[in-house]
Amino acid sequence: DAGITQSPRHKVTETGTPVTLRCHQTENHRYMYWYRQDPGHGLRLIHYSYGVKDTDKGEVSDGYSVSRSKTEDFLLTLESATSSQTSVYFCAINPSGTASSTDTQYFGPGTRLTVL
Amino acid sequence: AQSVTQPDIHITVSEGASLELRCNYSYGATPYLFWYVQSPGQGLQLLLKYFSGDTLVQGIKGFEAEFKRSQSSFNLRKPSVHWSDAAEYFCAVVVESSYKLIFGSGTRLLVRP
């Protein structure tokens, strides 16, 4: 258990509405990530953060924004949800406090989002 | 660009049989490789990882994987599968200096009683 919680765990919303997903960690890890999981695609990185107010884009960032005002929380926002954003969203943390490619990522339980 | 290929979408094995899940990567430098498992409705759990050294790595739940640089492969194996191993398995590689994981598309394992 990496001390990661995600909320909500399930959400159904309508096209065009804003949605915010929350990832919360209890260990003050520096690196946090948001992925989406879709059949046939595995997990794809949306955005990641390497510190408070420090974020960067992943491979599928269009239509998503993130914020990190506190170390423990990493928020993913869909400004205007579309049906193509129906997916399972996973948050992950990297426990290392230093820059190293060898560190392992640990994943939260996921949020299932359905956009009607 | 780095990529990971898992050529088998589904694999079905009988309980007690051996298992090998394939993973091929495309990466210019020394790769850092991972296998994760995802049980239905659950998050991802790390099975094992390879960074350097011994090319045969042991993981949890009786799994092992072998890194073969000449074949750009990192196949996952288990000598005797249990019904509880039914899950989806993901191979992943770290993009060096970026702390980002690139995942394969996954292999779903079904276990026959």
Side-chain angles (χ1 to χ4, degrees), chain A residues 9 31 33 35 37 40-43 45 48 57 90 99-109, chain B residues 32 34 36 38 41-44 46 49 51 88 90 94-101 103-105:
Chain A
R9 294 292 313 278
Y31 293 93
Y33 308 79
Y35 292 86
Q37 182 181 26
H41 291 280
L43 278 79
L45 182 66
Y48 67 102
K57 295 179 180 180
F90 286 97
S100 169
S101 301
T102 63
D103 291 309
T104 303
Q105 291 185 22
Y106 296 91
F107 288 80
Chain B
Y32 303 115
F34 303 79
Y36 285 87
Q38 184 181 31
Q42 304 296 312
L44 278 76
L46 178 70
K49 57 189 177 184
F51 294 155
E88 190 156 20
F90 293 95
V94 164
V95 178
E96 191 167 4
S97 301
S98 72
Y99 332 115
K100 293 186 278 190
L101 278 173
F103 282 86
S105 55

Side-chain angles (χ1 to χ4, degrees), chain A residues 9-75:
Chain A
R9 294 292 313 278
H10 301 271
K11 185 170 182 66
V12 179
T13 191
E14 294 189 349
T15 298
T17 60
V19 177
T20 295
L21 309 183
R22 179 181 183 238
C23 177
H24 178 78
Q25 53 131 336
T26 59
E27 303 294 329
N28 291 322
H29 297 306
R30 181 180 172 191
Y31 293 93
M32 300 183 74
Y33 308 79
W34 276 109
Y35 292 86
R36 61 177 290 172
Q37 182 181 26
D38 305 289
H41 291 280
L43 278 79
R44 292 178 291 174
L45 182 66
I46 305 171
H47 283 280
Y48 67 102
S49 170
Y50 45 96
V52 173
K53 293 185 170 36
D54 292 323
T55 64
D56 204 350
K57 295 179 180 180
E59 61 178 311
V60 290
S61 59
D62 288 348
Y64 301 94
S65 62
V66 290
S67 65
R68 193 165 178 203
S69 58
K70 299 184 293 184
T71 300
E72 59 265 35
D73 289 324
F74 190 31
L75 303 181

